[in-house]
């Protein structure tokens, strides 16, 4: 099963936060925004031996428990077999709760299930005698069978709830009846789903080194174990072995077990004649097989070394190697090897900053592999992968796969600071453009077609996801002039978190605007209204009005030919290069351009398309008294953008 979403309360920065997941999910945001807190919460949820400290509680409010709730979907056949009675609309919703006092209830799992609320008192009883007494009361109202042991009660309560799905007594609650106590529930959840967290550089040695907690070793071992467990031959063997061991340990077939109660009672009555001992026995019904484990080392130039003894770059490359193996492996040695028609088990792989110590090309490969792994499953092993990663690199994300991005921010609310992730729905982006263009929603592009149109954008546009303000322009000329004007103003847009990026034409602006808007990244756009072209006027007007409506303008406030610098956008009657020429006058402009082009050894017609030569031209013209008040106004408008 895969994780569809996580709800976290009172854990570090996550006072009350929800995060949705895709098959591949990329978490981005500023440092200390809460990205890693989500990964830590998932690790805590799956941990067999969790440790909670006072500082793990938000604002150290130790009187309130930490709740971590995972919504699981896409269950495998074995998941359905194990959890079917607990599913809500096909999903499994499980909460793990932690208390600060280290009580026995801390770390306990609860399942959100449709249960009979009148069974709650019986379920909460921990002592067998009190549990049987509560159950006996329920028998007076409900058709429930007799029991010999308190251990039988939960199964009968579940069976009643399954048999009466439409009863008015049922309600959705978090019930503590989920598959037993802490370690049992943890084992059931991890039986077919492994969660592996690979931390960032400060823990690189711990991630790789040869010890039982090494995430890389755990990853390799999980592949081996799941591949074996998913085999139909292995499943058949386990079923047969379980049946045999249940038969051999059946108390009814072991006479000595039946004699124990009587003989113990006979001895006890010598001391307390009115007392007796009643021993009951549960047969063993499941064996616990051991699986092969890996020992990993590096042999480099005939020198053998433990993995933690090599450089950080190579350490991270080992992770990349394992992932590539998982993506490419096919059973080629045995033509009769089993082929799976559907996933049999899952690995949820979480990585902090996979780009660390990686060459840019390797970063792109890493991102490609993480996405490729999550798109399907390996038919040779039955293993399916879900990938979640935190990144600060634009090479690890792309506009065409922006639905995988989650922008994580800390925000102020009336209840204090909290973490609020934003995400993108391409279907919503497409509908927005259709509606603002005057089309019915059903005529919008599909999410798939909208995503396909995003493939045309250059990779550099991904830098915008890491800016606190984004300026979208049509092409390199606009970009060069703006960057030059910032330089003239002795300002560095990158240092201020301002990303200026060209989208390759006016008709591409709307698509990119909706994507950045979905992630609540402040966006400003600059375009030509194309009035001077005198062709395709209807198309130009439609495009102009759409770009104004994306800024929140109404039909009445929109102009067919907008011109000027506004709070949300700027529009020119001509290309920005022509604007500079018009402001300076042809004679001044041509003279300055010719001289600067010669100095920089560039084509005069292209001199405004390079930041250095463009800056030199603008400086020269300004020294000669030319005023570019529109450029000043444009930068002032960008400064006003607020997230």
């Amino acid at each position: 099963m895969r994780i569809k979403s996580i709800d976290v309360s009172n854990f570090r920065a996550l006072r009350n936060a929800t995060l949705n997941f895709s098959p591949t999910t990329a978490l981005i945001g500023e440092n200390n925004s809460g990205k890693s807190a989500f990964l830590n919460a998932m690790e805590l949820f799956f941990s067999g031996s969790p440790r909670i400290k006072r500082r793990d509680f938000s604002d150290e409010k130790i009187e309130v428990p930490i709740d971590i709730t995972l919504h699981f979907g896409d269950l495998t056949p074995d998941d359905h077999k194990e959890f079917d009675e607990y599913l809500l609309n096909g999903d499994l919703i499980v909460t793990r709760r932690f208390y600060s006092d280290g009580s026995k209830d801390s770390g306990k799992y609860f399942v959100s299930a449709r249960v009979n609320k009148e069974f709650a008192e019986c379920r909460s009883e921990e002592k067998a005698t009190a549990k049987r007494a509560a159950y006996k009361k329920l028998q007076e109202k409900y058709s429930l069978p007799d029991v010999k042991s308190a251990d039988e009660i939960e199964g009968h309560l579940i069976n009643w709830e399954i048999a009466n799905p439409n009863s008015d007594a049922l309600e959705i609650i978090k019930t503590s009846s989920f598959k037993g106590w802490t370690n049992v529930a943890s084992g059931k959840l991890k039986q077919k789903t492994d969660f592996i967290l690979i931390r960032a550089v400060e823990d690189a040695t711990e991630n790789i080194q040869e010890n039982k907690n090494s995430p890389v070793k755990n990853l390799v071992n999980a592949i081996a174990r799941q591949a074996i467990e998913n085999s139909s031959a292995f499943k058949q063997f386990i079923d047969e072995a379980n049946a045999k061991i249940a038969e051999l340990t059946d108390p009814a077939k072991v006479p000595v077990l039946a004699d124990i109660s009587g003989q113990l009672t006979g001895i006890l009555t010598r001391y307390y004649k009115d007392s007796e001992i009643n021993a009951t026995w549960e047969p063993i019904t499941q064996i616990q097989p051991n699986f092969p484990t890996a020992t990993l080392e590096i042999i480099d130039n005939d020198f053998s070394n433990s993995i933690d003894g090599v450089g950080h770059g190579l350490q991270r490359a080992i992770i990349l190697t394992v992932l590539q193996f998982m993506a490419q492996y096919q059973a080629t040695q045995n033509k009769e090897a089993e082929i799976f028609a559907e996933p049999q088990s899952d690995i949820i792989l979480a990585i902090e900053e996979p780009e660390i110590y990686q060459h840019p090309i390797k970063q792109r490969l890493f991102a490609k592999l993480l996405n490729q792994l999550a798109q399907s499953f390996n038919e040779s092993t039955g293993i399916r992968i879900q990938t979640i990663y935190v990144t600060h690199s634009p090479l690890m994300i792309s506009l065409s796969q922006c639905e995988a991005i989650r922008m994580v921010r800390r925000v102020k609310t009336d209840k204090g600071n909290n973490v609020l992730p934003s995400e993108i729905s391409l279907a919503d982006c497409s509908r927005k453009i259709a509606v603002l263009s005057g089309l019915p929603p059903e005529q919008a592009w599909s999410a798939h077609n909208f995503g396909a149109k995003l493939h045309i954008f250059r990779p550099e546009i991904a830098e915008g996801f890491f800016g606190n303000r984004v300026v979208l322009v049509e092409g390199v000329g606009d970009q060069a002039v703006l960057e030059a004007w910032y330089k003239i103003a002795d300002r560095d847009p990158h240092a201020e978190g301002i990303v200026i990026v060209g989208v390759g034409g006016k008709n591409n602006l709307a698509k990119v605007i909706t994507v950045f808007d979905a992630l609540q990244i402040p966006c400003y756009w600059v375009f030509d209204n194309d009035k001077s072209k005198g062709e395709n006027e209807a198309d130009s007007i439609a495009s102009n009005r759409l770009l104004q409506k994306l800024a929140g303008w109404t039909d009445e406030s929109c102009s067919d030919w907008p011109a000027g610098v506004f709070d949300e956008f700027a529009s020119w009657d001509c290309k920005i290069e022509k604007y500079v020429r018009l402001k300076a006058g042809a004679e001044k402009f041509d003279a300055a351009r010719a001289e600067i082009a010669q100095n920089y050894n560039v084509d005069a017609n292209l001199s405004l398309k390079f930041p250095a030569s463009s800056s030199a031209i603008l400086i020269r013209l300004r020294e000669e008294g030319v005023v570019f008040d529109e450029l000043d106004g444009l930068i002032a408008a960008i400064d006003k953008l607020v997230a």
Side-chain angles (χ1 to χ4, degrees):
M1 51 190 173
R2 286 175 158 175
I3 302 175
K4 295 180 69 175
S5 65
I6 182 172
D7 301 317
V8 187
S9 63
N10 204 38
F11 179 66
R12 301 185 184 177
L14 309 178
R15 290 169 175 80
N16 186 17
T18 297
L19 178 66
N20 297 320
F21 295 98
S22 304
T24 296
T25 304
L27 304 183
I28 65 174
E30 295 183 359
N31 291 330
N32 203 36
S33 61
K35 304 182 297 297
S36 294
F38 281 112
L39 302 191
N40 292 330
M42 285 187 282
E43 185 184 39
L44 191 59
F45 178 94
F46 282 102
S47 176
S49 52
R51 296 180 182 179
I52 293 292
K53 300 177 182 178
R54 185 185 185 95
R55 62 184 176 84
D56 288 325
F57 292 80
S58 300
D59 304 316
E60 297 193 7
K61 292 182 179 178
I62 59 174
E63 68 278 5
V64 180
I66 293 171
D67 270 5
I68 302 170
T69 301
L70 292 187
H71 296 240
F72 294 98
D74 298 326
L75 275 64
T76 67
D78 282 346
D79 291 331
H80 276 286
K81 183 178 179 181
E82 185 66 50
F83 301 118
D84 250 1
E85 66 265 31
Y86 294 116
L87 301 186
L88 291 172
N89 299 321
D91 292 344
L92 178 67
I93 305 172
V94 185
T95 298
R96 196 173 192 185
R97 178 168 293 168
F98 296 92
Y99 296 94
S100 62
D101 58 6
S103 67
K104 63 181 179 180
D105 286 336
S106 185
K108 195 172 182 179
Y109 289 90
F110 300 81
V111 63
S112 295
R114 195 177 298 278
V115 300
N116 189 330
K117 55 190 174 185
E118 295 185 9
F119 293 173
E121 181 181 351
C122 178
R123 281 173 160 146
S124 65
E125 293 289 355
E126 296 180 6
K127 295 183 178 180
T129 302
K131 198 174 192 73
R132 286 197 298 268
Y135 183 76
K136 192 170 183 178
K137 288 183 180 179
L138 291 174
Q139 285 183 297
E140 297 173 1
K141 182 175 181 180
Y142 298 100
S143 178
L144 294 166
D146 293 333
V147 296
K148 296 180 181 179
S149 167
D151 294 335
E152 301 174 15
I153 291 175
E154 180 59 30
H156 293 313
L157 297 181
I158 291 174
N159 288 338
W160 187 92
E161 289 163 342
I162 293 174
N164 298 273
N166 299 317
S167 170
D168 292 337
L170 296 184
E171 63 178 2
I172 298 174
I173 64 171
K174 288 185 175 70
T175 172
S176 60
S177 63
F178 182 53
K179 298 295 179 185
W181 299 99
T182 303
N183 60 335
V184 180
S186 178
K188 293 291 185 182
L189 286 169
K190 294 189 289 187
Q191 192 170 21
K192 284 293 184 180
T193 302
D194 285 273
F195 176 81
I196 298 171
L197 173 60
I198 300 175
R199 296 191 177 277
V201 64
E202 62 268 22
D203 300 311
T205 300
E206 294 180 12
N207 287 344
I208 294 291
Q209 67 187 0
E210 282 302 298
N211 60 51
K212 64 180 181 179
N213 294 319
S214 165
V216 173
K217 184 174 179 179
N218 290 343
L219 178 58
V220 175
N221 288 341
I223 296 170
R225 177 180 59 78
Q226 290 194 14
I228 293 171
E229 282 187 321
N230 293 341
S231 162
S232 57
F234 181 82
K235 289 180 180 179
Q236 181 180 351
F237 166 77
I238 291 296
D239 289 341
E240 293 173 353
N242 284 339
K244 190 65 177 178
I245 200 169
E247 177 186 346
L248 294 174
T249 61
D250 186 349
K253 297 181 180 179
V254 185
V256 66
L257 299 183
D259 293 340
I260 286 179
S261 292
Q263 294 190 27
L264 289 176
T265 296
I267 296 172
L268 181 63
T269 54
R270 298 176 189 175
Y271 307 101
Y272 295 90
K273 64 178 181 179
D274 295 326
S275 300
E276 62 181 44
I277 294 177
N278 180 33
T280 59
W281 309 91
E282 291 292 333
I284 299 174
T285 59
Q286 191 172 23
I287 63 172
Q288 296 295 330
N290 291 323
F291 296 92
T293 58
T295 299
L296 303 177
E297 63 179 15
I298 289 293
I299 301 175
D300 186 25
N301 293 319
D302 297 325
F303 178 75
S304 178
N305 198 356
S306 60
I307 296 179
D308 59 314
V310 301
H312 287 311
L314 182 53
Q315 290 178 4
R316 304 292 280 191
I318 293 167
I319 300 171
L320 185 63
T321 300
V322 175
L323 295 181
Q324 190 158 354
F325 162 79
M326 295 166 66
Q328 296 176 348
Y329 173 75
Q330 295 294 330
T332 57
Q333 301 299 318
N334 186 355
K335 294 183 180 180
E336 297 180 359
E338 186 170 8
I339 299 298
F340 295 96
E342 60 182 328
Q344 302 296 307
S345 59
D346 288 277
I347 294 176
I348 300 170
L349 181 63
I351 309 179
E352 288 186 319
E353 301 179 47
E355 67 270 14
I356 292 177
Y357 292 109
Q358 298 302 307
H359 187 278
I361 293 176
K362 294 295 189 296
Q363 291 185 38
R364 293 192 190 280
L365 177 60
F366 225 143
K368 181 179 179 180
L369 280 174
L370 290 172
N371 184 65
Q372 181 182 348
L373 281 168
Q375 294 310 305
S376 186
F377 72 98
N378 193 300
E379 296 179 352
S380 297
T381 63
I383 299 173
R384 179 175 55 187
I385 312 291
Q386 182 176 14
T387 57
I388 304 165
Y389 61 96
V390 171
T391 183
H392 294 281
S393 170
L395 302 178
M396 293 294 301
I397 59 176
S398 69
L399 191 66
S400 60
Q401 295 172 339
C402 60
E403 282 192 306
I405 298 172
R406 303 292 182 270
M407 172 64 76
V408 181
R409 295 185 182 86
R410 288 205 189 197
V411 297
K412 289 184 178 181
T413 69
D414 54 355
K415 297 181 179 179
N417 290 334
N418 199 11
V419 173
L420 178 66
S422 303
E423 61 185 276
I424 299 166
S425 164
L426 293 183
D428 289 346
C429 291
S430 182
R431 268 193 301 272
K432 182 175 183 177
I433 290 177
V435 171
L436 292 180
S437 299
L439 299 173
E442 57 269 18
Q443 290 188 21
W445 296 308
S446 67
H448 174 76
N449 289 340
F450 190 90
K453 296 178 185 298
L454 300 179
H455 281 279
I456 65 172
F457 292 97
R458 293 169 57 85
E460 290 81 0
I461 201 168
E463 289 185 21
F465 293 117
F466 297 91
N468 55 43
R469 282 166 289 177
V470 179
V471 182
L472 301 175
V473 297
E474 291 190 39
V476 294
D478 310 82
Q479 184 175 350
V481 168
L482 283 183
E483 289 177 352
W485 200 249
Y486 269 102
K487 183 178 179 180
I488 290 171
D490 197 24
R491 293 176 59 180
D492 183 351
H494 284 99
E496 299 178 30
I498 301 171
V499 178
I500 304 172
V501 60
V503 300
K506 176 179 175 180
N507 291 332
N508 293 327
L509 279 169
K511 293 186 280 292
V512 184
I513 291 168
T514 58
V515 169
F516 283 113
D517 184 61
L519 292 181
Q520 301 179 41
I521 298 173
C523 190
Y524 195 91
W525 50 100
V526 182
F527 62 96
D528 308 328
N529 66 25
D530 294 328
K531 184 177 182 180
S532 60
K533 286 185 177 180
E535 55 186 29
N536 299 320
E537 282 196 359
D539 291 342
S540 295
I541 290 172
S543 179
N544 291 336
R545 297 186 74 86
L546 171 60
L547 291 172
Q548 293 170 85
K549 289 180 182 178
L550 285 169
W553 290 27
T554 63
D555 270 320
E556 293 74 16
S557 59
C558 288
S559 167
D560 288 349
W561 309 106
V565 176
F566 306 97
D567 289 342
E568 306 87 359
F569 65 88
S571 179
W572 318 106
D573 278 328
C574 55
K575 289 189 176 297
I576 199 165
E577 295 96 327
K578 189 175 181 180
Y579 157 79
V580 173
R581 191 170 190 268
L582 288 172
K583 295 290 288 187
E587 185 177 348
K588 280 186 180 180
F589 176 78
D590 290 343
R593 183 178 64 170
E595 182 178 342
I596 299 300
Q598 184 176 4
N599 292 343
Y600 282 84
N601 195 26
V602 297
D603 187 322
N605 292 324
L606 300 177
S607 57
L608 275 178
K609 295 188 180 296
F610 301 103
S613 55
S614 180
S615 175
I617 292 173
L618 292 173
I619 290 174
R620 169 67 62 82
L621 294 175
R622 195 176 66 162
E623 289 174 347
E624 294 180 3
V626 181
V627 177
F628 296 99
D629 46 2
E630 289 85 0
L631 294 180
D632 288 330
L634 194 155
I635 290 180
I638 295 169
D639 288 340
K640 294 178 183 178
L641 291 179
V642 179

